[in-house]
Amino acid sequence: SCSLLRSPKGFPKLKNDTFLRAARGEQTEHTPVWCMRQAGRYLPEFRETRASQDFFATCRSPKLCCELTLQPLRRFPLDAAIIFSDILVVPQALGMEIVMVPGKGPTFTEPLKEVEDLLKLRQKVDVTAELGYVFQAITLTRHSLEGKVPLIGFSGAPWTLMSYMIEGGGSTTMAKAKSWLYRHPEASHRLLRLLADVIIDYLVGQVAAGAQALQLFESHAGHLGPELFQDFALPYIRDIAQAVKSKLKEEALPLVPMIIFAKDAHYALRDLAHAGYEVVGLDWTIRPQEARAQIGKDVTLQGNLDPCALYAPKEKIGELVKKMLESFGTQRYIANLGHGLYPDMNPEHVGAFVEAVHAHSRHINKH
């Protein structure tokens, strides 16, 4: 249960470290598995907990975030928990207002239109003041997990956040945000730098609060081609890994494994392999063998089952998982979907996915 907040120290001893071992490239008896958006609307208990609450109010309640993070672990033998939160809490920390519009999703009341609008953003963000509720949620959840599995913290990456801040919500083309990259390259870099600095402090704060791994979501990488990615996304992705690690060392905090997930960025896998992350997450649009060839042997891979495969009958899910494990290999690998779970998915099929990963990877490891 997610009750009283104890001191961040004295966390329960970790019982299942398979996910962390795989992330660091150590041998594992089975391939660990977790799902992006595993705390989500596909669970009836999630819909019940969230029913009466505004989405961002839920994000600001450590107790509710803890409860939502734990729900999938009560159902499935997942190897990791990921804190319930949202990538848009960072633009909120910069002073932007976002509302959740039913049927439309997150919507910025005043998106950035002109370069002058950058002046409206907080130029210096105290992450503890602005995002302390996430840190509290992490600490509370880390205690409430009772050492069952590790807890992952996360953030959106600068380009993905910038694109939301300019588009004002979702977009199929990201044309407004991309036009900034072409028309206002200097201002774009100013904004990306500001975001990166906040993200660095935010991720370090998550580790101080108890996160045992970190994932950076570059969800909108697919809207960039190789050149724009090289100029406007990759330098900040690299810088975040480097700066987070050096700050963790300075503050004598644990050096936790970091995962980069750049959706639809197969054109950049070689660069991402050398960006300073222990794990590279993959979407479903790349062949496992190709990804392994580009990324090499020194980085763990995570992914990449097509989320829609979970609509298949359970036997078929088992076959697809077996094929995926044979293609990636069971070591230096974390099983996951190539994107988040969708709201209309059957929880039993999620269970079938998780169990198939454990069963087939154990079988392959034995033989």
Side-chain angles (χ1 to χ4, degrees):
S1 81
C2 305
S3 55
L4 85 174
L5 209 50
R6 277 169 290 180
S7 78
K9 299 287 166 280
F11 287 128
K13 189 172 159 8
L14 185 58
K15 299 177 187 121
N16 170 6
D17 66 348
T18 313
F19 163 80
L20 295 178
R21 290 214 314 278
R24 292 192 295 255
E26 298 163 17
Q27 283 285 122
T28 59
E29 279 150 44
H30 67 266
T31 297
V33 55
W34 66 280
C35 298
M36 291 185 269
R37 297 217 187 106
Q38 65 190 25
R41 286 174 295 175
Y42 73 101
L43 291 174
E45 58 269 34
F46 175 96
R47 291 196 295 272
E48 248 163 68
T49 308
R50 276 264 304 106
S52 59
Q53 278 276 15
D54 165 70
F55 178 79
F56 287 108
T58 305
C59 289
R60 285 189 288 273
S61 159
K63 256 184 141 136
L64 285 176
C65 290
C66 175
E67 168 58 24
L68 295 170
T69 303
L70 295 183
Q71 283 177 352
L73 295 159
R74 296 189 190 120
R75 278 191 186 242
F76 316 117
L78 294 153
D79 293 290
I82 182 164
I83 194 66
F84 177 82
S85 186
D86 194 271
I87 63 171
L88 298 181
V89 298
V90 170
Q92 286 178 327
L94 288 167
M96 294 190 82
E97 196 188 322
I98 309 164
V99 290
M100 223 10 131
V101 177
K104 190 179 170 212
T107 307
F108 286 73
T109 52
E110 289 181 45
L112 304 174
K113 289 198 171 72
E114 304 303 329
V115 170
E116 297 72 68
D117 294 342
L118 294 181
L119 299 172
K120 297 179 190 167
L121 299 174
R122 271 190 198 106
Q123 303 304 306
K124 267 271 166 265
V125 174
D126 172 349
V127 291
T128 310
E130 300 300 330
L131 295 166
Y133 59 88
V134 180
F135 302 155
Q136 289 172 358
I138 287 173
T139 301
L140 181 56
T141 307
R142 177 81 190 270
H143 282 299
S144 305
L145 274 166
E146 295 173 336
K148 195 173 174 177
V149 293
L151 179 60
I152 304 168
F154 70 89
S155 173
W159 155 250
T160 295
L161 296 178
M162 169 182 173
S163 61
Y164 272 116
M165 290 159 76
I166 294 171
E167 296 290 341
S171 156
T172 50
T173 60
M174 299 292 159
K176 287 181 193 151
K178 284 175 72 178
S179 82
W180 273 53
L181 305 180
Y182 286 108
R183 286 165 43 226
H184 313 303
E186 290 81 10
S188 296
H189 280 299
R190 273 211 314 278
L191 174 54
L192 292 162
R193 181 72 263 162
L194 176 63
L195 284 161
D197 290 342
V198 177
I199 290 162
I200 289 160
D201 289 345
Y202 180 43
L203 290 173
V204 171
Q206 291 186 43
V207 176
Q212 290 153 293
L214 297 169
Q215 178 155 312
L216 190 68
F217 284 88
E218 189 70 280
S219 312
H220 295 169
H223 292 277
L224 303 176
E227 282 77 22
L228 288 180
F229 187 84
Q230 194 78 41
D231 289 348
F232 294 100
L234 188 64
Y236 300 99
I237 288 171
R238 279 197 187 119
D239 186 52
I240 287 166
Q242 201 185 337
V244 166
K245 287 174 181 187
S246 73
K247 287 197 175 200
L248 291 175
K249 274 194 191 121
E250 268 166 44
E251 297 180 28
L253 288 165
L255 276 180
V256 303
M258 293 178 72
I259 308 165
I260 175 66
F261 175 61
K263 189 171 177 294
D264 296 320
H266 17 83
Y267 57 80
L269 286 181
R270 281 182 213 281
D271 289 324
L272 291 169
H274 299 109
Y277 293 76
E278 286 68 30
V279 183
V280 172
L282 302 165
D283 60 62
W284 67 91
T285 62
I286 183 143
R287 291 189 174 85
Q289 295 91 332
E290 250 166 68
R292 188 66 83 181
Q294 288 190 48
I295 286 170
K297 299 272 187 286
D298 301 327
V299 175
T300 294
L301 299 182
Q302 174 178 283
N304 74 337
L305 190 72
D306 180 353
C308 290
L310 297 189
Y311 294 123
K314 289 188 207 169
E315 308 70 62
K316 177 72 176 163
I317 293 171
E319 286 164 36
L320 292 166
V321 165
K322 180 170 181 274
K323 197 174 153 203
M324 182 170 83
L325 286 160
E326 286 165 353
S327 305
F328 279 111
T330 59
Q331 301 298 320
R332 256 211 185 280
Y333 175 54
I334 295 160
N336 204 320
L337 304 171
H339 197 223
L341 286 160
Y342 301 148
D344 64 347
M345 285 180 163
N346 180 341
E348 284 183 22
H349 288 222
V350 178
F353 166 64
V354 173
E355 278 152 31
V357 170
H358 287 160
H360 289 298
S361 62
R362 282 201 175 97
H363 183 81
I364 294 169
N365 286 343
K366 274 206 186 92
H367 301 87

